[in-house]
Amino acid sequence: MVFARKHLLKIESYEAGRPISEIKCQLRLKEVIKLASNENPLGPSPKAIEAVRKALSSINRYPDSSGYYLRKKIAKVLSLEPSNIILGNGSDELIDIIIRAFVEDDENIITADLAFLEYKIVSFINNRNLITAPLKYFKFDLAAIKKKINPKTKLIFIANPNNPTGTYVTKYELEEFFRGLPENILVVLDEAYDAFIDVEDFPNSLNYIKKKNVLVLKTLSKSFGLAGLRIGYCLGLPELISSLEKVRQPFNVNSLAQEAAIAALDDKKFLRKTRSLILEGKKYLCQNLWELGIPYVSSVANFILIDVGRDGVSFFKEMLKFGVIVRNMRQYGLKNFIRVTIGTKKENIRFIKVLKKILKGNTPRL
Amino acid sequence: MVFARKHLLKIESYEAGRPISEIKCQLRLKEVIKLASNENPLGPSPKAIEAVRKALSSINRYPDSSGYYLRKKIAKVLSLEPSNIILGNGSDELIDIIIRAFVEDDENIITADLAFLEYKIVSFINNRNLITAPLKYFKFDLAAIKKKINPKTKLIFIANPNNPTGTYVTKYELEEFFRGLPENILVVLDEAYDAFIDVEDFPNSLNYIKKKNVLVLKTLSKSFGLAGLRIGYCLGLPELISSLEKVRQPFNVNSLAQEAAIAALDDKKFLRKTRSLILEGKKYLCQNLWELGIPYVSSVANFILIDVGRDGVSFFKEMLKFGVIVRNMRQYGLKNFIRVTIGTKKENIRFIKVLKKILKGNTPRL
C-alpha cells in the first residue's frame, strides 16, 4: 500500500456536495435560488461573455503562460507595471502560491480565528502552523494578531472585508498595525469583496504595495461575475511577485478567463449596476431583519452574517425545503448563524418571505 | 525585506515569452503557424464549443467543486466509478497534487533524464529530490529506472508516450517493470498522448489501476483540442484518489472546462478525424525527413523530435523568420534538436518547404 503524507492522515477525505440540479431533483423543487456563495446575482459581465465567445475557436491552443495582455490591462487600470502583477486560477490558488513561495517548514502563519476558510485549508495542505487570533465584535482585531507574532512568524492574512463576517479594518487600524511591524513578515491584504465598499475609512491598498512586505489579493469572481472561470490576481513589488512566479505553474490561468477579464475590466457600466444592486439589496435585507428583530453583523460586502437564534444547520435545511440555498456556518464553528448572499430584488424578497415562514414554524414536510 | 524560501533562491525568476501576436508584429510576419506545443491543429471539438456556449451565461456561479457530472461521464466511458477519478486544472496540476499528497520532505522521485519537463519543475517547486535515469535509444529505460530505486523512493513518473521523444514503453516492458517492484512506491503512467497510439503492444493502463500503487494521468488538451481550457484527470483506486482529494483546491477546475469535457467525450467523430489527420501527417513528415536524410526519432505521439545536425536554437530562430514556430530543445539539453508538432496538411507542407529552404541556406535577413 502506498501511504499518503503523514500530515494528511489527520483529516477525513473531502466529501463533495452534489450540484444544485441534483438537489433540485431529489427534493422535487421547482425553483431554487442560490444565495450561498457570494456570487454576482446579475450574471457575468456582458462584455466578458462577448470576449469569451470570440475566443472560443482558439481553445485548442495553450493559454498565454505570461498573461501578457491581462497583466498589461490590470497595470493600466491601476497605474502599475505588469511586473507588479501575478495571475492565479482564482485568488484561492494565489493564497497557496504565497505560502509555497515564502513560508518555510518551521515558520508560521497568522490570521483571525473566524476568517476566510481557505487560509486554514491551504495552511493545512502545506503542513504549516496556522496561529489564529480572536475577532473583536466580529471584526479582525489587528492588535490581537500583532500579539500573536513570534520569531517564526512569516505571513499574516488580513481579509478585508472579511468573509464570512462582512466587516472591515479601517485605514487607521491598518496604519497602526504596520507601525513597528517587523519588515520580514509578509502581510497579505485579501480584498475579494472590495467592489462593494461604500465607506470612507476603508484603506486604499494600492498605497501599501509600495511596502516591501505587502501583497494585495483581488478577484474578478464577484465584481464581474466570473467565479466559474477562475481568475484572481495579486499585486506587490516586483521582488515579491517574481518569487511567486517561481512557484506558479506555466498554464495556471485558462485562456477564456484571461480574455474575459481583459474585457470585464472595461465594463464599468456592469460594475456600477452590480454595486447599486448590492447596496440597495443590502438596505432592504437589513431593514427587514431589523423589523423582525433578527440580529445580523453589519456588512460592507455582498453578504450578511445572520444570527438565527437556533441551530444554523437545521435552519439552512429548512430554507432548502423552500428552494432557498444559504450557507450554514458549521465549518466556521458558528452554531446559530447562516450567511446569506445579497441577490436580485426578487431573490431578496423571496428570502425574507421564507425567513418569515420558518420563524412562524411553517416549514413544509418533504 | 521578506525573503522567498531558500530552495527557490537557486533559480532565476521565470521569464515569460511573449504571445504569438506580439512576435508576429515585431518580426513583421504576415502568417505564422505554430507547431510548437503539441496542440490539436483541427481546433477544439465542435461539441465542446457548443457546450461552452450554452454554459456561458452561468459563469457568475462557482464551478461544481466535485466535478460531479464530468466524473460520472468519465466513469461511464471507461467503465470505472467516479471514486476512481480526480479532476485537475490540466494534468500539470495533478502532477503537483500527486507529489504534495504522497512524497514526504526526505523522499525522492524518479523519472527519465529526458522526460516531460513538468516533473522536474514540480519536484523543484516542492523541494523534492528528483533522481533521473538515462534513456536508451530515446526510450524510457525501465530497467535503468528500477536500478535507481533506493529506500527513500516514493514516486516514479513514466511518460507514455514520452514528451519530447514520442517514444513509448511496451506492455511487456511494463509487466517486467512491475515484477518485484516494491508496492510502497507509487507509479504514475502519464498518458497525455494516448489518443494517437497506433501500435499493438502499447499497454492498456486501465488494467494497471487495479494495482494499489498505480495512478494514470490523462488530458483532453490534445485529443479534443481543449488545451486552453485546462482539463486533465487522474485514475486510480479510491484510496489513492481520496488522498489526492485532500490536496486539491475546491474550485480548481473551471465550469467551462467541465462542460466542454463532458461534451467532448461524446465527440467520437472529432477524435477519429484528429487521429487520422495526425497519422497521415506523421507519415508525410517522416517520408520527407527520410528523403532529406534528416534523422528523427520514431514517434507514436503527435510530434516528432528531429536532429537538425546543428544548433537547434538558431535553427528554431531561422524557422521563425519564415513564420514557422517549432520548439527548440534547449530546456531539455538537446543541443541539435527541434521538436515539431504535426499540423494540418497545409502546415506540414509549409514546414517541409521552410526546412528545405533553411538547409539550402536560404534564410532571409530580417
Side-chain angles (χ1 to χ4, degrees):
Chain A
M1 185 61 201
V2 184
F3 292 109
R5 292 179 64 194
K6 277 188 218 90
H7 71 282
L8 296 176
L9 298 175
K10 281 177 260 166
I11 46 151
E12 292 293 305
S13 268
Y14 175 76
E15 233 180 89
R18 283 162 314 146
I20 300 178
S21 51
E22 286 294 306
I23 297 169
K24 217 164 149 177
C25 202
Q26 194 205 2
L27 294 179
R28 289 177 202 174
L29 295 164
K30 270 189 199 148
E31 211 199 328
V32 167
I33 61 171
K34 191 182 168 213
L35 301 173
S37 304
N38 305 339
E39 295 153 342
N40 193 320
L42 285 177
S45 143
K47 286 199 179 186
I49 294 273
E50 197 41 45
V52 169
R53 219 183 284 277
K54 278 185 194 154
L56 277 185
S57 61
S58 315
I59 53 171
N60 59 315
R61 302 293 172 189
Y62 276 89
D64 169 18
S65 169
S66 70
Y68 183 83
Y69 293 109
L70 176 52
R71 282 165 59 236
K72 223 171 145 176
K73 178 81 195 178
I74 295 168
K76 202 180 157 198
V77 171
L78 301 178
S79 300
L80 296 169
E81 295 297 321
S83 58
N84 292 119
I85 303 158
I86 180 172
L87 307 177
N89 188 36
S91 56
D92 284 5
E93 190 197 33
L94 291 165
I95 292 168
D96 188 42
I97 287 177
I98 291 168
I99 295 177
R100 297 176 81 175
F102 287 102
V103 188
E104 296 284 3
D105 294 2
D106 60 343
E107 292 178 329
N108 64 58
I109 302 163
I110 307 180
T111 193
D113 58 6
L114 191 63
F116 184 35
L117 265 188
E118 188 72 7
Y119 309 142
K120 209 182 205 169
I121 295 171
V122 179
S123 298
F124 176 80
I125 290 174
N126 283 290
N127 200 15
R128 294 295 182 271
N129 184 14
L130 181 73
I131 297 170
T132 59
L135 295 184
K136 195 171 184 178
Y137 307 125
F138 289 100
K139 263 189 64 170
F140 256 75
D141 181 353
L142 298 185
I145 282 182
K146 222 170 176 177
K147 275 185 202 147
K148 294 279 183 183
I149 291 173
N150 68 36
K152 285 292 182 189
T153 299
K154 185 59 169 281
L155 184 58
I156 296 173
F157 283 112
I158 301 174
N160 202 29
N162 186 31
N163 174 15
T165 58
T167 53
Y168 70 104
V169 299
T170 66
K171 57 181 164 188
Y172 312 106
E173 289 165 341
L174 204 57
E175 281 300 331
E176 173 61 30
F177 175 71
F178 277 117
R179 221 165 285 139
L181 186 81
E183 280 194 349
N184 61 340
I185 295 177
L186 187 61
V187 177
V188 177
L189 302 173
D190 183 349
E191 299 190 337
Y193 298 94
D194 63 345
F196 313 109
I197 298 297
D198 64 338
V199 288
E200 293 283 317
D201 56 351
F202 192 83
N204 180 354
S205 59
L206 294 184
N207 293 335
Y208 294 96
I209 58 162
K210 291 164 195 158
K211 288 182 186 282
K212 283 181 177 169
N213 61 337
V214 176
L215 291 170
V216 172
L217 282 176
K218 303 260 192 188
T219 170
L220 285 85
S221 292
K222 286 96 184 174
S223 44
F224 292 102
L226 300 179
L229 266 180
R230 317 306 297 126
I231 178 75
Y233 56 95
C234 178
L235 308 172
L237 287 181
E239 304 91 278
L240 295 175
I241 297 297
S242 73
S243 292
L244 298 176
E245 281 289 354
K246 290 182 183 180
V247 178
R248 184 178 68 85
Q249 294 235 17
F251 303 111
N252 63 328
V253 179
N254 72 82
S255 317
L256 299 184
Q258 294 189 35
E259 294 296 337
I262 291 168
L265 287 166
D266 278 332
D267 205 345
K268 284 172 195 150
K269 193 177 145 196
F270 181 80
L271 193 58
R272 269 199 306 273
K273 222 172 133 186
T274 296
R275 259 183 74 88
S276 63
L277 184 85
I278 298 303
L279 296 181
E280 278 169 40
K282 191 153 48 184
K283 214 167 141 185
Y284 168 82
L285 289 173
C286 291
Q287 177 73 24
N288 275 275
L289 290 170
W290 186 82
E291 283 171 11
L292 289 166
I294 300 174
Y296 62 88
V297 180
S298 192
S299 166
V300 294
N302 67 339
F303 54 84
I304 307 173
L305 185 65
I306 301 172
D307 181 352
V308 290
R310 48 170 139 154
D311 185 58
V313 175
S314 56
F315 203 92
F316 153 80
K317 282 180 187 163
E318 284 188 75
M319 295 214 102
L320 191 60
K321 288 179 186 171
F322 287 100
V324 176
I325 309 178
V326 296
R327 179 63 57 99
N328 76 65
M329 292 284 109
R330 180 176 45 187
Q331 278 190 294
Y332 287 92
L334 285 171
K335 213 174 147 10
N336 291 345
F337 285 79
I338 60 166
R339 192 194 66 196
V340 64
T341 302
I342 294 152
T344 59
K345 196 171 170 184
K346 208 178 139 192
E347 289 171 337
N348 298 335
I349 290 171
R350 187 157 160 211
F351 167 77
I352 292 292
K353 259 192 196 157
V354 167
L355 189 72
K356 284 179 183 170
K357 276 189 193 170
I358 293 174
L359 290 174
K360 282 187 193 153
N362 289 342
T363 309
R365 291 193 183 195
L366 285 180
Chain B
M1 186 60 201
V2 184
F3 292 109
R5 292 179 64 194
K6 278 187 218 90
H7 71 281
L8 296 176
L9 299 174
K10 282 177 257 167
I11 48 151
E12 292 294 305
S13 268
Y14 174 77
E15 234 181 88
R18 282 161 315 145
I20 300 177
S21 50
E22 287 294 305
I23 296 169
K24 217 164 149 177
C25 201
Q26 193 204 5
L27 294 179
R28 290 177 201 175
L29 295 165
K30 268 188 201 149
E31 209 199 329
V32 167
I33 61 170
K34 191 181 168 213
L35 302 172
S37 304
N38 305 339
E39 295 152 340
N40 193 320
L42 285 177
S45 143
K47 286 199 179 187
I49 294 272
E50 198 40 45
V52 168
R53 218 182 284 276
K54 278 185 195 155
L56 276 184
S57 61
S58 316
I59 54 171
N60 59 316
R61 303 292 172 190
Y62 277 89
D64 170 17
S65 169
S66 70
Y68 183 83
Y69 294 109
L70 176 53
R71 282 165 58 238
K72 223 170 145 176
K73 179 81 195 178
I74 295 168
K76 202 180 157 198
V77 171
L78 300 178
S79 301
L80 295 169
E81 295 297 321
S83 58
N84 292 120
I85 303 158
I86 180 172
L87 307 177
N89 188 37
S91 56
D92 284 4
E93 190 196 33
L94 291 165
I95 291 169
D96 188 42
I97 288 177
I98 290 169
I99 294 177
R100 297 175 81 176
F102 287 103
V103 188
E104 296 284 2
D105 294 3
D106 62 342
E107 292 178 327
N108 64 58
I109 302 163
I110 307 179
T111 192
D113 59 6
L114 191 62
F116 184 36
L117 265 187
E118 188 72 8
Y119 309 143
K120 209 182 204 168
I121 296 172
V122 179
S123 298
F124 176 79
I125 291 174
N126 284 290
N127 200 16
R128 293 295 181 273
N129 184 15
L130 181 74
I131 297 170
T132 59
L135 296 185
K136 194 170 182 177
Y137 307 125
F138 289 99
K139 263 189 64 170
F140 256 74
D141 181 353
L142 297 186
I145 282 182
K146 223 170 176 178
K147 274 185 202 147
K148 294 279 182 183
I149 291 173
N150 68 37
K152 284 293 180 188
T153 299
K154 185 60 170 280
L155 183 60
I156 296 173
F157 283 112
I158 301 173
N160 203 30
N162 185 31
N163 173 17
T165 58
T167 53
Y168 70 104
V169 297
T170 66
K171 55 182 166 187
Y172 313 106
E173 288 165 341
L174 204 57
E175 281 299 331
E176 173 61 30
F177 175 71
F178 277 116
R179 220 165 286 140
L181 186 81
E183 279 194 349
N184 62 339
I185 296 176
L186 187 61
V187 177
V188 176
L189 303 173
D190 183 350
E191 300 191 337
Y193 298 93
D194 64 346
F196 313 109
I197 298 297
D198 64 338
V199 287
E200 292 282 316
D201 56 351
F202 192 82
N204 180 355
S205 58
L206 294 184
N207 293 334
Y208 293 96
I209 59 163
K210 291 163 197 160
K211 287 182 187 281
K212 283 181 176 168
N213 62 337
V214 175
L215 291 170
V216 172
L217 282 175
K218 302 261 191 186
T219 171
L220 286 85
S221 292
K222 286 95 184 173
S223 44
F224 293 102
L226 300 179
L229 267 179
R230 317 305 297 127
I231 178 74
Y233 56 95
C234 178
L235 308 172
L237 287 182
E239 303 92 277
L240 296 173
I241 298 298
S242 74
S243 292
L244 298 175
E245 281 289 354
K246 291 182 184 180
V247 178
R248 184 178 68 85
Q249 294 236 19
F251 303 112
N252 64 327
V253 179
N254 72 81
S255 318
L256 299 184
Q258 294 188 36
E259 294 296 337
I262 291 168
L265 288 166
D266 277 332
D267 204 347
K268 284 172 194 151
K269 192 177 144 195
F270 181 80
L271 193 58
R272 268 199 306 274
K273 221 172 134 186
T274 296
R275 258 183 76 87
S276 65
L277 184 86
I278 298 303
L279 296 180
E280 278 169 39
K282 191 154 49 183
K283 213 167 142 186
Y284 168 83
L285 290 172
C286 291
Q287 176 73 24
N288 274 276
L289 291 169
W290 186 82
E291 284 171 12
L292 290 165
I294 301 174
Y296 62 88
V297 181
S298 192
S299 166
V300 294
N302 67 339
F303 54 83
I304 306 173
L305 185 64
I306 301 172
D307 181 351
V308 289
R310 48 169 139 155
D311 184 60
V313 174
S314 57
F315 203 92
F316 153 80
K317 283 181 188 162
E318 284 187 74
M319 294 214 102
L320 191 60
K321 288 179 187 171
F322 288 100
V324 176
I325 309 178
V326 295
R327 179 62 58 99
N328 76 65
M329 291 285 108
R330 181 176 44 187
Q331 278 189 294
Y332 287 92
L334 285 172
K335 213 175 147 7
N336 291 345
F337 286 79
I338 60 166
R339 190 194 67 195
V340 63
T341 302
I342 294 153
T344 60
K345 196 171 169 182
K346 209 177 139 191
E347 290 170 336
N348 298 335
I349 291 171
R350 188 158 158 211
F351 167 77
I352 292 292
K353 258 190 196 159
V354 167
L355 189 72
K356 283 180 182 169
K357 276 188 193 170
I358 293 173
L359 290 174
K360 282 185 192 154
N362 289 341
T363 309
R365 290 194 184 195
L366 285 180

